Amino acid sequence: MLTAIVGINWGDEGKGRMVDLFSQEYDVVCRYQGGNNAGHTVVNDKGKFILNLLPSGILNENTVNVMGVGMVIDLQHLSEETGRLRAGGIRISPDNLKISDKATICMPYHKLLDVLEEDRLADKKFGSTRRGIAPVYADKYYKKTLRMGDLLHPETLREKLEGIVEWKNLTVANGYGHAPVDVDETLAWLLKYGGEFKDYICDVSEFLYQAEAEGKKIMFEAQLGALRDIDYGIFPYTSSSSSIAAYAPIGAGVPGLKLTNTVGIIKAYSSCVGEGPFTCELFGEDGDKLREAGGEYGAATGRPRRVGGFDVLASGYGVRVQGATSLALTKLDVLSYLDKIPVCVGYRLNGERLDRFPLGENLKHAEPIYESFDGWHCDISGCRTFEDLPKEARDYVRFIEERVGCPIQYVSVGAEREAYIKMF
Ligand code: GDP
Ligand code: MG
């Protein structure tokens, strides 16, 4: 069985928290795209953990975790992240972590280029997390990158690196006028941090096809939401990889297999990190209160997130591009403080009401149409059945379900593992 757990919105929907919950039932959890540019926060009986690169199943004793072919991996970050988790009592070894030999290595000069370019753009910047993700994906498609499997052949590493660095310095030194990338220094970095993971690097496809054939339950964990997908998101304010479910088997390492189901994680209100159109955005006191209530600060960067009411159009679009078969609605408890719950029920463009999410230029000019729903004004974090929820909260859940056209299977009412309602 192959399940994708993906974000319906702009990311930070609580995917990590839901994957942590579901992963107890899965034999294998895979990451299939991205690098350490985003973060999942998971709170469970062992403590609070922030995961940037590792699949969330790593927190679960019996789950095997795969870092797939579509990922870009900053070795130093991986070393630090595994170190932090081990210090927190998490076991990480080659039998519960498998890293694809085809995954791309995100190098220190990719980070450098990200910073140089964002600085060059100054006030026109895209809001990159400056972790080298766009530069490394660009180089991947340029076919001028090292892959994890190259670490298993140290005898040819210098030669490969020299060729790439020579080309890279055309941009770093000749273009940006920065000090050139040094081969020795970069090679030392590769050997130091890459050396730690040699025993983890393998052909994950082999492992995954085998696991599927044995009837194992495999989960694919997305790192960013639908609206950040390179092709289907709010380009160019997207990530540089495919975050949608359809890409999951490809990015994990099993392109020949089809997903059995796709669970979309959808948040009870909206949040967005960085630049770009965010039609439903709330400003001033309304925004500040919601940001505070939801703790909307980036897990990877600490940046305050932009916030808004639930966005019917953007979410409906997200459900469709993800091909979600069911939904998990998160952070419903965050709205408990509100008398009236603001919901962005549609957009207006040039005086006309839109009933589909627009992209490109139209999105830039769209204005939100807000309506408000009655709040419930009590603590719902202890609710464990749908009937436990106050009527106003039940109405809100049913409204979202109806408008986005997909059944809500879970409602999350707190960050803790057990704080959720299973609807069916
Ligand atoms: P991800 O990137 O989609 O995994 O989401 P993040 O981890 O960046 O952000 C979600 C945040 O909300 C985390 O701090 C979670 O612990 C927290 N969270 C997740 N679900 C809930 C929920 O239902 N209620 C509350 N109050 N917090 C939640
Ligand atoms: Mg996040």
Side-chain angles (χ1 to χ4, degrees):
M1 190 178 94
L2 273 64
T3 303
I5 311 283
V6 294
I8 295 297
N9 311 117
W10 296 262
D12 304 317
E13 298 93 345
K15 294 177 295 297
R17 173 255 187 287
M18 294 314 291
V19 170
D20 176 60
L21 173 67
F22 300 149
S23 69
Q24 301 176 89
E25 293 165 28
Y26 282 81
D27 304 297
V28 182
V29 176
C30 312
R31 272 279 306 268
Y32 62 89
Q33 47 78 225
N36 57 318
N37 46 329
H40 287 324
T41 311
V42 180
V43 184
N44 63 23
D45 47 5
K46 297 201 184 85
K48 178 176 173 176
F49 300 96
I50 293 179
L51 302 169
N52 300 128
L53 278 168
L54 292 165
S56 305
I58 201 76
L59 303 177
N60 215 331
E61 264 304 310
N62 304 316
T63 308
V64 179
N65 296 273
V66 169
M67 296 173 70
V69 308
M71 286 192 75
V72 289
I73 301 174
D74 176 336
L75 295 168
Q76 184 173 351
H77 193 99
L78 184 62
S79 165
E80 288 160 7
E81 190 170 320
T82 49
R84 265 198 311 275
L85 288 186
R86 284 202 181 100
I90 306 298
R91 184 181 67 87
I92 301 171
S93 73
D95 50 272
N96 73 344
L97 177 65
K98 306 202 179 288
I99 305 176
S100 170
D101 54 0
K102 297 181 193 65
T104 303
I105 302 176
C106 182
M107 306 285 287
Y109 58 74
H110 289 126
K111 250 163 61 178
L112 172 66
L113 277 168
D114 213 345
V115 173
L116 290 173
E117 179 56 10
E118 283 279 295
D119 287 349
R120 187 188 72 84
L121 287 170
D123 58 343
K124 292 200 214 78
K125 67 185 191 298
F126 284 112
S128 162
T129 49
R130 300 179 172 228
R131 300 201 169 186
I133 308 300
V136 67
Y137 272 112
D139 285 4
K140 167 178 170 169
Y141 288 99
Y142 222 134
K143 295 164 290 182
K144 289 183 191 289
T145 43
L146 294 172
R147 308 214 277 184
M148 291 302 286
D150 290 322
L151 295 170
L152 302 178
H153 302 280
E155 71 287 355
T156 55
L157 207 49
R158 173 178 280 277
E159 197 188 320
K160 285 178 195 151
L161 186 64
E162 274 171 351
I164 293 174
V165 165
E166 185 183 292
W167 169 74
K168 210 69 274 189
N169 277 331
L170 297 176
T171 326
V172 172
N174 301 11
Y176 288 101
H178 191 273
V181 177
D182 183 84
V183 172
D184 289 331
E185 232 172 75
T186 314
L187 185 63
W189 181 91
L190 274 173
L191 295 174
K192 175 173 179 198
Y193 296 108
E196 277 180 50
F197 297 102
K198 275 193 178 153
D199 296 341
Y200 296 74
I201 301 167
C202 62
D203 180 354
V204 299
S205 298
E206 192 89 3
F207 168 78
L208 287 170
Y209 278 116
Q210 185 67 32
E212 202 269 343
E214 288 167 10
K216 298 259 166 67
K217 291 175 80 178
I218 302 173
M219 183 205 288
F220 305 101
E221 172 189 19
Q223 164 229 34
L224 293 160
L227 297 167
R228 300 296 186 187
D229 181 87
I230 179 81
D231 295 310
Y232 296 95
I234 51 171
F235 186 86
Y237 302 98
T238 56
S239 190
S240 306
S241 61
S242 300
S243 56
I244 53 169
Y247 182 74
I250 300 172
V254 282
L257 298 182
K258 293 218 163 31
L259 292 173
T260 320
N261 55 337
T262 298
V263 183
I265 313 298
I266 189 166
K267 193 147 78 174
Y269 57 93
S270 301
S271 74
C272 164
V273 176
E275 316 295 319
F278 184 46
T279 315
C280 63
E281 185 160 14
L282 291 173
F283 301 93
E285 203 186 323
D286 289 345
D288 292 343
K289 279 192 174 156
L290 184 53
R291 181 177 307 106
E292 215 44 54
E296 295 297 343
Y297 299 90
T301 56
R303 288 189 285 184
R305 295 171 183 156
R306 298 157 75 191
V307 294
F310 183 83
D311 187 325
V312 168
L313 287 199
S315 302
Y317 175 78
V319 166
R320 195 164 60 142
V321 297
Q322 293 291 18
T325 48
S326 70
L327 298 172
L329 180 71
T330 60
K331 303 191 92 163
L332 187 63
D333 56 301
V334 168
L335 302 179
S336 297
Y337 77 95
L338 285 161
D339 280 328
K340 289 278 177 192
I341 299 174
V343 176
C344 177
V345 293
Y347 295 172
R348 192 169 283 116
L349 183 69
N350 304 327
E352 288 191 29
R353 192 175 169 135
L354 301 178
D355 51 7
R356 292 247 164 190
F357 184 65
L359 282 160
E361 282 302 313
N362 284 346
L363 182 59
K364 268 195 221 161
H365 302 294
E367 288 161 28
I369 302 171
Y370 261 101
E371 275 177 22
S372 55
F373 285 68
D374 289 337
W376 41 89
H377 241 295
C378 63
D379 182 6
I380 58 167
S381 59
C383 297
R384 293 294 176 269
T385 68
F386 192 55
E387 292 66 38
D388 289 347
L389 288 174
K391 180 177 181 301
E392 294 79 7
R394 277 183 278 146
D395 289 348
Y396 187 68
V397 171
R398 291 303 183 205
F399 166 81
I400 289 177
E401 182 167 71
E402 198 246 324
R403 283 300 182 91
V404 302
C406 187
I408 293 177
Q409 195 176 9
Y410 300 88
V411 177
S412 174
V413 291
E416 302 74 28
R417 198 180 249 181
E418 301 311 322
Y420 72 96
I421 294 166
K422 191 164 191 295
M423 309 277 283
F424 59 89

